[in-house]
Amino acid sequence: MPGKLKAKVVAGRHLPVMDRASDLTDAFVEVKFGTTTFKTDVCPKSLNPQWNSEWFKFEVDDEDLQDEPLQITVLDHDTYSANDAIGKVYIDIDPLLCSEAATVISGWFPIYDTIHGIRGEINVLVKVDLFNDLNRFRQSSCGVKFFCTTSIPRCFRAVLIHGFVEELVVNEDPEYQWIDRIRTPRASNEARQRLISLMSGELQRKIGLKVLEMGGNAVVGYLQCFDLEGESGLVVRAIGTACTLDKISSTYTAAIVQNLSNSSPSKDMKDSPQAVPSALGCRSTHSSPVHSASSRLSQGFSVSVPTLLFAGMGSGGSAGKEAGPLKALLRQQTQSALEQREFPFFTLTGFPPAFLLHVGGVVSARSVKLLDRIHNPDEPETRDAWWEELRQEIKSHAKALGCHAVVGYSESTSICEEVCILSASGTAAILSSRFVQDGALDTDHRFEDVAPPACGFCHIPYDELNMPFPAQLTYCHCCRRHKVPDVLFTTIDVPTEANVTGKGCLIQARLCRTKKKGQGEGNATAISNLLPFLEYELHTQLLNKLKLRGMNALFGLRVQISVGDTMLLGLASATGVYLTALPSPGGIQIAGKTPNDITYEQHISNMQKKINDTIAKNKELYEINPPEFVEEVIGSPIPEPRQRSRLFRSHSESSDEVLELDLSHGKKDAFVLEIDDTDAIEDIHSLLTDAPTPPGFYSCNTEIMPGIYNWTSGLQMFTSVRVFRLSNANLTNQGLNKIFNDLCENLLKSLYFKLRSMVPCCLCHVNFIVAVPEDELIQVAVTAVAMSFDKDQSQENGRQSGDKTLMKAITENEEQLQFPLELSAESPSNPLSCAKGLSEVSGPLPSARAPSVDHSSFTDRCSSWIEQLRLKAHTIRRGSIKTMSSLEKASPVPEGRSRSLRSNRSCPGSSITVVKMTPLSFIPGAKIIKYLGIINMFFIRETTSLREEGGVSGFLHSFIAEVFAMVRAHVAALGGNAVVSYSMKECVFMENPNKNQAQCLINVSGDAVIFIRESELEATPSQTQSGNVQTSSNGEGT
Amino acid sequence: MSVELDVFVGNTTIMDKEVYQLWLNGYTVNDAVKVRMEGGVMEECEASAEVLLSDTMDQFRTFQMCERLLQNPAKLANQLLFQIPPDRQAMLIERYYAFADAFVREVLGKKLSKGTKKDLDDVSAKTGITLKSCRRQFDNFKRVFKVVEELKGPLVENIRQHFLLPDQLARDYAAIVFFANNRFETGKKKLQYLTFQDFAFCAGQLINNWTVGAVDNMVEDMDVDLDKEFLQDLKDLKILIADKDLLDQHKSLVCVALRGKTKVFNEMETNFKNLSRGLVNIAAKLTNPKDVRDFFIDLVEKFIEPCKSDRWTATDVNLYLTHYTNSAHILDSFKYQTVWTRYMGVIKSCILRMYHE
């Protein structure tokens, strides 16, 4: 009995009218955890009920605490018939199980109904008492921290990075159970939401156990996905990187720089939940409805298409001069440490300094599987085996690149009926042993003295005489000692230490391929035959577009292949940059095949001119002016074309139209595009049709945009979804390509237009999800954040002041930092910290503003918008002579409001915290001081009155807005004011306009945090508190 | 081939002021796109018509979703669905409740009933304001009216608090509510030259001085209904015109004070009795609701028009009314000084406001 969960239902507001006769509602609440249910009294005839219930106490295993959500149902009492459900709130109590995260969940939660959407709000308080039980961690993994962030979270430092953890649970999808035929859509949706919530809880707990077993205390880069396999089931799987993290407190910070080794891992273990589970994995699932049994799959059929994508190269070990032998030793050690692991994979995309030594290139593997319709619970391990297979593939690819590890690793699936494409990709790399191995500390130290150069990661990790594929090697343009490739593709973020010339930009390759309708194995074979072509062409497009922008490296590469009945969609997104260490890319030269035709020649030369102009323009646009460098080309030992066709065996006929390296042209014209058919012309056209970003805009799909440092606090996260209907079923590949390309381009254009008020601004972490929901539909969903930056400020200044504030922040006492934030409505006794109280008192005296304070940002923290509005009303009221005495009697129409007018404190949650959301791991100009736990939410929305809700757009628009609102409410209830590393991982939309129906599933995740503005850290609290509440925050991401 | 679904949702709800105005003006999406294209936003941002259409549709949808909240502005501030910065919220509310002068002149003083709403298409045709916009404005009037109707306390304050409106707009609404409640006639031809702001000013005067609330701010409807007792008392003023001695005395006092100070002295002298009769008769008749409705017409017919035809300047009117009011205080046998002050204060400021040269 290791835990006591306590919940209290305070009040509701804005409830819907459930009783037409009285235009009111008799609401009560059921609070359910596991199998125990409590009920509040009925609060008759009110749309703003006050229940103020007692504390409902649940005595439960911590195992259940991890798996189960707290389920709150609001109902309308009906004397004569069954009570009507108004809606539900699921609260994930996991953040409360971690001592360092949130301590209480308290706030207004939207009451959600899968048919009607949000229907009012409910104020709930939740606490957990964990008992000090010796067996506390036997089955559960309470205390392991989870982060979606794919780098070491900002207020932690890594002691050890243990490596890859993965888990997968399978269940039947309630939507496809026989009972679904007789139950209501609402019941079915709720069963699904609840099941997925349970499965994610279970998954997280199991991963936590693995982490504990490895000796870690956290999972970073936690990526959880759902595979809706339809009739064959529902898979929830997750991967992550197990770490031992240490919270950075101010006293530490200084020490860290000097001697890392002092804080040995063993010391840290003490505060991490150490009682390593002895009986790992023996947890029986009888108490939970989730059975990790039922994976049924294709007997026998599996085609796997490994694709070794472009890679950098290099001879890490042999090239070093002074550091040579040391490095070799180091590498040996690391290698052995990593090789002990089954999968030396890391889901991280950003790394602690000096961790990433060399990058080989992108490795990816795909495999087409047939989901078996036949229920076969005797094969529970099948899906595990599929992924295992794929991971092995990746591992061997990495080996081929001379690398012992894979970083920036991710996995995904695309399902169409019974065909499923599994994909895995990452970046082959060589890592330092520093964070990987306990015993390597000595070497580490010595290595530290010869700190790796900033260009180190570009140096090829493999032997130049034994290259896995051809590449043009040159000496590094920075250190001039090591070899570097001519282009480098990676799935990671731009390393902070990397030298980048100019700015980067989003590069996308888009491709559509028609496919015949098929079934079963034939279909799977057809798809797997198409895949290599698709992948190859995407790659070619990427390379061409990269050259066209005068850049030489891609970061954050993500290739998505979506499968539909009649087509395959491929979308590769990455951020192109010019790495100073790499050679300048050659131009693109077009060569025609029929030299006698004069008009044709002319056409070609026109195109050539256009291309050259574009390259020149792009270089200017992205400020790419690399320093001149005398180049010695080290030829690739193997003739290019042959090598290529070895990799892409099946690509024989079309291989002559693709780019070839023309070594004779030297640096500038290394790239020749041969035009021999319409296809190639089409390709070049598409190359040139990418509209440049409008002035003032930049875009990237990585965390940070190289070349921009001076971010302002303007921040706007958004999701945009488009569905395109192809009316003509008999489209050619080119036609489809053009449509798909235009769809993406137009979507981007719309985004730029929408966000024009934020200029100069950069769209960061632009994440496209493509899908083929039906035969003739293409769906594209984009989530990104627009961040405005200060153009006038010079780069250097921005960088310097940023550093300065950071230093300041770090040196300040931690407790002091947190103090203004811990303020809550319940502690008005502290006059300094209680901004609310103060502002109320000093309402009419807004003049006392501290000049140097960032008012707009301050408002985020200390109060909510309603209060400001109220305050305005308040001051005006006082100013008006006639009404002096009328203050109390005035107008009590909506009771809640008039009361809150008078006192903010009487109604604890009536204020709304501003919650920022961003897909990035940080908030510009702010310091994250606390991680409150991960947010992982899954919602279903369905409607049977599509037209009435404004059609498909109206339906989805309100659903996405509702999802945002629920995420914000949960974060606010945890005491946070932002979500970082936010992502929308799933957006499945289905419609049936004829029946006036639609359904949508959305899965989002992120890390709830508390942040404070750096400017606030500098200003003394007493100065700032008074006036600013009234200055409205126009700086807020317009 | 068509875009079947197209949505954009920001964590902070993005709203373009210009598009919002087009929506408020009742434009269809296509018309709004046309207006925006003409406005040159495309060249400015290198956007295509397609982009503009998508943006406009998206924003119109957002506004539609917000409309429910705008009708209850207090809700807008503590709802969770849209994260809107406070300055934006204030803008949204203010513009939603803003109305066109041309429109309000058409319905000012009319009963805010279904019947009036049915006639809105005529109003729309006459004013060139879209029917949709007319309906919104009308519904706003009606909504404010209904909420305020049941409340105690000062009218302007109640409006400001319930609808979170800026001061000026709250005052305008107070005027609209006041006019609707008392059904003042404002549509007659003779009153056409008056603007809404003229009436709003007069309403303010009446609310502050003639309602129950002017003496007691605890009563329901205190600012909406005229003070019945006061209206009753006004009958006593009749003595000023009924008693011939008093009338003559009053006249001579005024004439002494005015002599040599104005070019139209002769006209003032000749017209004194007429004008005085006019003003006092208005006062005496105000107990009758029908005559309350005609209050403004009466002011124009009985006072403003005669003065106009004699070419008085506004200064002349001011001078005349000042002395006219003050002289009555010197009259020994005139005992209704407080009522007189309360009456003439409002009459004077209303006439001055309504006196357009």
Side-chain angles (χ1 to χ4, degrees), chain A residues 353-372:
Chain A
F355 183 53
L356 185 69
L357 297 183
H358 304 292
V359 170
V362 169
V363 285
S364 82
R366 282 179 216 287
S367 130
V368 183
K369 300 284 183 191
L370 212 52
L371 304 169
D372 200 337

Side-chain angles (χ1 to χ4, degrees), chain A residues 852-993:
Chain A
S852 64
V853 176
D854 181 352
H855 293 294
S856 61
S857 61
F858 192 89
T859 48
D860 286 3
R861 173 187 88 180
C862 67
S863 72
S864 49
W865 293 341
I866 168 97
E867 259 160 58
Q868 293 178 33
L869 284 182
R870 245 189 248 138
L871 218 80
K872 253 187 209 160
H874 196 95
T875 32
I876 295 166
R877 196 167 51 217
R878 292 227 184 136
S880 151
I881 306 150
K882 191 177 170 188
T883 60
M884 269 307 235
S885 57
S886 63
L887 213 127
E888 293 305 301
K889 38 189 146 98
S891 62
V893 162
E895 11 131 67
R897 180 171 153 69
S898 70
R899 199 195 30 213
S900 58
L901 264 168
R902 260 170 268 135
S903 152
N904 300 328
R905 270 172 241 140
S906 64
C907 204
S910 72
S911 52
I912 295 161
T913 321
V914 178
V915 176
K916 298 215 169 207
M917 291 167 77
T918 172
L920 305 180
S921 65
F922 66 99
I923 292 164
K927 184 175 168 9
I928 293 171
I929 57 158
K930 200 171 183 187
Y931 281 82
L932 299 163
I934 71 167
I935 298 283
N936 187 359
M937 298 170 105
F938 177 86
F939 296 105
I940 301 176
R941 179 87 151 79
E942 188 165 346
T943 185
T944 47
S945 49
L946 190 57
R947 274 187 296 276
E948 294 77 358
E949 292 197 35
V952 283
S953 295
F955 171 71
L956 194 61
H957 192 139
S958 49
F959 184 37
I960 294 175
E962 281 167 352
V963 169
F964 285 1
M966 286 185 279
V967 169
R968 287 193 300 257
H970 277 80
V971 172
L974 288 170
N977 57 3
V979 190
V980 296
S981 299
Y982 169 83
S983 71
M984 186 172 81
K985 284 180 299 202
E986 203 88 56
C987 178
V988 184
F989 178 76
M990 287 156 287
E991 55 168 329
N992 190 341

Side-chain angles (χ1 to χ4, degrees), chain B residues 108-125:
Chain B
L108 192 65
K110 282 188 187 153
K111 199 174 172 190
L112 300 174
S113 63
K114 280 199 177 124
T116 315
K117 195 171 178 182
K118 270 184 196 149
D119 299 337
L120 285 181
D121 36 2
D122 297 338
V123 177
S124 166

Side-chain angles (χ1 to χ4, degrees), chain A residues 501-505 546-551 578 584-585 611-626 692-698 705-707 791 795:
Chain A
T501 304
K503 297 191 166 72
C505 76
L546 185 68
K547 300 254 169 198
L548 198 66
R549 284 169 178 81
M551 296 173 181
Y578 185 102
S584 172
I611 287 181
N612 293 345
D613 289 351
T614 314
I615 293 180
K617 224 193 283 165
N618 278 330
K619 280 192 173 175
E620 199 177 318
L621 181 64
Y622 300 113
E623 298 160 28
I624 300 169
N625 326 296
T693 52
F697 273 107
Y698 292 93
M705 176 66 159
K791 214 173 197 172
Q795 269 184 22

Side-chain angles (χ1 to χ4, degrees), chain A residues 450-470:
Chain A
V450 266
C455 55
F457 77 93
C458 307
H459 303 158
I460 52 170
Y462 43 83
D463 193 347
E464 77 184 87
L465 297 173
N466 193 13
M467 294 208 294
F469 47 81

Side-chain angles (χ1 to χ4, degrees), chain A residues 14 716-717 719-723 725 727 754 756 865 877 883 889 891 897 912 915 957 968 991, chain B residues 1-2 4-7 9 11-12 14 16 45 55 61 74 78-80 83-84 157 161 218:
Chain A
H14 307 155
Q716 170 70 285
M717 190 282 297
T719 291
S720 185
V721 182
R722 276 193 192 182
V723 174
R725 184 174 286 281
S727 54
K754 282 256 181 219
R756 65 193 183 285
W865 293 341
R877 196 167 51 217
T883 60
K889 38 189 146 98
S891 62
R897 180 171 153 69
I912 295 161
V915 176
H957 192 139
R968 287 193 300 257
E991 55 168 329
Chain B
M1 254 163 280
S2 59
E4 176 122 343
L5 180 159
D6 179 9
V7 297
V9 189
N11 184 35
T12 306
I14 289 187
D16 184 312
C45 314
D55 179 60
R61 200 183 312 122
N78 64 24
Q79 50 83 36
L80 301 174
Q83 191 158 262
I84 307 170
E157 250 343 278
Q161 279 176 35
M218 285 294 289

